[in-house]
Amino acid sequence: VLELGAGTGRATAFLARSAARVVAFDLSLEMVAIARRKLAGQSHVTLFVADLRDLALDDRFDLRFELRFDLRFDLVVAVDDPFSHLTGDDDRARAFAAAARHLAPGGRFLLDAAWLSPRAREKAAGPEGLVRERATGKGPGGEGLVVRQVWRCDPESRVCTARFEYRIGNRTAEEASFPARLWSLGELRRRARANGLAITALWGGYDRRPWMRSTSSRLIAELRAGR
Ligand SMILES: C[S@@+](CC[C@H](N)C(=O)[O-])C[C@H]1O[C@@H](n2cnc3c(N)ncnc32)[C@H](O)[C@@H]1O
């Protein structure tokens, strides 16, 4: 398995339970350091820092003859959309092509695409933005931690500004905002076609519920390389 934008190794740990080999990377050195600690001692897992846009993995198999073999994977996964951080067309094209290039014949590419339903997108285009708030366990002192997200998106380009606020009790502990670009089905189809991939399934969640354009809160696409 090749995992793109693995972050702190949240999904890597899950994949490592059943895959013979997991190769995972992220752009952030800090995140890779956390993932390495989390997966220490798992010799079938390789973690490194790389940029998705320039990924080119090869195995130097025979050093005497300097033969290079490109590394190809049965499964390429992108959990919680690392592509969303690439807002420019050229960056997205390069990153998508890199994912496609690393697929073995018949291999699958699972893209957990940043996606909002039409209603959510309408809200995100409105004056208040799309607000999502959820309690996620405990803060460092055992108090409740609440994460409040505000998404403001341009309906045409689907480029958004996402603001995350981490609240512990009445206090804002951290705030961060970043640009993110949502996928449309049209963009997904276009990039699949350009890279010789076929979209073989669309799910609305990791429980494999079917994707519904008007109600699904996420879009998980399975793409396959031709043989
Ligand atoms: C929303 S996080 C998801 C992390 C992880 N997949 C998970 O589900 O926990 C997106 C990740 O993409 C990474 N990322 C963003 N741009 C990247 C790039 N150009 N190359 C590699 N990773 C990138 C970020 O550093 C971040 O860890």
Short mmCIF file of all heavy atoms in Angstrom, two decimals, residues 115 158 183-190 199 202 211 213 219:
data_model
loop_
_atom_site.label_atom_id
_atom_site.label_comp_id
_atom_site.label_asym_id
_atom_site.label_seq_id
_atom_site.Cartn_x
_atom_site.Cartn_y
_atom_site.Cartn_z
N TRP A 115 -15.19 17.11 -0.09
CA TRP A 115 -16.46 17.22 -0.80
C TRP A 115 -17.51 17.82 0.13
O TRP A 115 -17.53 17.52 1.34
CB TRP A 115 -16.89 15.81 -1.26
CG TRP A 115 -18.36 15.67 -1.46
CD1 TRP A 115 -19.29 15.18 -0.55
CD2 TRP A 115 -19.10 16.03 -2.61
NE1 TRP A 115 -20.53 15.21 -1.08
CE2 TRP A 115 -20.45 15.73 -2.35
CE3 TRP A 115 -18.75 16.57 -3.85
CZ2 TRP A 115 -21.45 15.96 -3.28
CZ3 TRP A 115 -19.76 16.80 -4.77
CH2 TRP A 115 -21.08 16.49 -4.49
N ARG A 158 -14.70 26.53 -6.15
CA ARG A 158 -14.69 25.56 -5.04
C ARG A 158 -13.47 25.72 -4.15
O ARG A 158 -13.08 24.79 -3.44
CB ARG A 158 -14.76 24.11 -5.55
CG ARG A 158 -16.09 23.83 -6.21
CD ARG A 158 -16.20 22.39 -6.65
NE ARG A 158 -17.43 22.21 -7.39
CZ ARG A 158 -18.37 21.33 -7.11
NH1 ARG A 158 -18.21 20.53 -6.11
NH2 ARG A 158 -19.45 21.26 -7.83
N TRP A 183 -13.46 18.95 -4.32
CA TRP A 183 -13.58 18.25 -5.60
C TRP A 183 -14.99 18.40 -6.14
O TRP A 183 -15.96 18.49 -5.39
CB TRP A 183 -13.31 16.75 -5.41
CG TRP A 183 -11.87 16.43 -5.23
CD1 TRP A 183 -11.20 16.42 -4.03
CD2 TRP A 183 -10.93 16.08 -6.23
NE1 TRP A 183 -9.88 16.08 -4.25
CE2 TRP A 183 -9.69 15.87 -5.59
CE3 TRP A 183 -11.01 15.92 -7.62
CZ2 TRP A 183 -8.54 15.50 -6.28
CZ3 TRP A 183 -9.86 15.56 -8.31
CH2 TRP A 183 -8.64 15.36 -7.65
N SER A 184 -15.11 18.36 -7.46
CA SER A 184 -16.41 18.15 -8.09
C SER A 184 -16.28 16.80 -8.78
O SER A 184 -15.16 16.33 -9.05
CB SER A 184 -16.70 19.24 -9.12
OG SER A 184 -15.80 19.11 -10.21
N LEU A 185 -17.42 16.20 -9.09
CA LEU A 185 -17.37 14.92 -9.79
C LEU A 185 -16.76 15.11 -11.18
O LEU A 185 -16.03 14.25 -11.68
CB LEU A 185 -18.79 14.35 -9.90
CG LEU A 185 -18.88 12.85 -10.07
CD1 LEU A 185 -18.12 12.11 -8.99
CD2 LEU A 185 -20.33 12.41 -10.10
N GLY A 186 -17.03 16.28 -11.77
CA GLY A 186 -16.48 16.61 -13.09
C GLY A 186 -14.95 16.62 -13.06
O GLY A 186 -14.30 16.06 -13.94
N GLU A 187 -14.39 17.25 -12.02
CA GLU A 187 -12.92 17.30 -11.93
C GLU A 187 -12.36 15.89 -11.75
O GLU A 187 -11.35 15.53 -12.37
CB GLU A 187 -12.47 18.20 -10.76
CG GLU A 187 -10.95 18.31 -10.72
CD GLU A 187 -10.38 19.00 -9.48
OE1 GLU A 187 -11.15 19.42 -8.59
OE2 GLU A 187 -9.14 19.09 -9.41
N LEU A 188 -13.02 15.12 -10.91
CA LEU A 188 -12.55 13.75 -10.66
C LEU A 188 -12.56 12.94 -11.97
O LEU A 188 -11.58 12.25 -12.29
CB LEU A 188 -13.48 13.11 -9.62
CG LEU A 188 -13.02 11.81 -9.01
CD1 LEU A 188 -11.73 11.99 -8.23
CD2 LEU A 188 -14.11 11.25 -8.09
N ARG A 189 -13.64 13.05 -12.72
CA ARG A 189 -13.75 12.31 -14.00
C ARG A 189 -12.67 12.76 -14.97
O ARG A 189 -12.05 11.95 -15.64
CB ARG A 189 -15.13 12.56 -14.62
CG ARG A 189 -16.23 11.85 -13.87
CD ARG A 189 -17.46 11.71 -14.79
NE ARG A 189 -18.53 11.03 -14.09
CZ ARG A 189 -19.67 11.61 -13.72
NH1 ARG A 189 -19.90 12.87 -13.99
NH2 ARG A 189 -20.59 10.91 -13.09
N ARG A 190 -12.47 14.07 -15.02
CA ARG A 190 -11.50 14.64 -15.97
C ARG A 190 -10.09 14.15 -15.64
O ARG A 190 -9.36 13.71 -16.50
CB ARG A 190 -11.60 16.17 -15.86
CG ARG A 190 -10.79 16.96 -16.83
CD ARG A 190 -11.34 18.39 -16.94
NE ARG A 190 -11.56 19.06 -15.67
CZ ARG A 190 -10.62 19.64 -14.93
NH1 ARG A 190 -9.37 19.62 -15.31
NH2 ARG A 190 -10.93 20.24 -13.78
N ILE A 199 -13.19 5.26 -12.91
CA ILE A 199 -13.85 5.34 -11.59
C ILE A 199 -14.71 4.10 -11.45
O ILE A 199 -15.65 3.89 -12.23
CB ILE A 199 -14.70 6.62 -11.47
CG1 ILE A 199 -13.83 7.87 -11.63
CG2 ILE A 199 -15.44 6.67 -10.12
CD1 ILE A 199 -14.59 9.19 -11.67
N LEU A 202 -18.14 4.78 -6.08
CA LEU A 202 -18.24 6.03 -5.32
C LEU A 202 -18.99 5.71 -4.04
O LEU A 202 -20.13 5.23 -4.10
CB LEU A 202 -19.00 7.10 -6.12
CG LEU A 202 -18.35 7.63 -7.40
CD1 LEU A 202 -19.29 8.57 -8.14
CD2 LEU A 202 -17.03 8.36 -7.09
N TRP A 211 -22.62 6.57 -2.49
CA TRP A 211 -22.53 8.03 -2.50
C TRP A 211 -23.79 8.62 -3.12
O TRP A 211 -24.26 8.15 -4.15
CB TRP A 211 -21.31 8.46 -3.32
CG TRP A 211 -21.19 9.94 -3.45
CD1 TRP A 211 -20.83 10.81 -2.48
CD2 TRP A 211 -21.45 10.72 -4.62
NE1 TRP A 211 -20.84 12.09 -2.96
CE2 TRP A 211 -21.21 12.07 -4.28
CE3 TRP A 211 -21.86 10.43 -5.92
CZ2 TRP A 211 -21.37 13.12 -5.18
CZ3 TRP A 211 -22.01 11.47 -6.83
CH2 TRP A 211 -21.77 12.79 -6.45
N ARG A 213 -25.36 12.27 -4.30
CA ARG A 213 -24.94 13.65 -4.57
C ARG A 213 -25.58 14.66 -3.62
O ARG A 213 -24.93 15.56 -3.13
CB ARG A 213 -25.30 14.02 -6.01
CG ARG A 213 -24.85 15.42 -6.41
CD ARG A 213 -25.43 15.81 -7.74
NE ARG A 213 -24.75 15.16 -8.85
CZ ARG A 213 -23.62 15.63 -9.39
NH1 ARG A 213 -23.06 16.72 -8.93
NH2 ARG A 213 -23.06 14.99 -10.39
N LEU A 219 -17.19 11.99 -0.03
CA LEU A 219 -17.12 11.28 -1.31
C LEU A 219 -15.82 10.49 -1.33
O LEU A 219 -14.72 11.07 -1.29
CB LEU A 219 -17.13 12.32 -2.46
CG LEU A 219 -16.74 11.83 -3.85
CD1 LEU A 219 -17.69 10.76 -4.36
CD2 LEU A 219 -16.71 12.99 -4.83
#
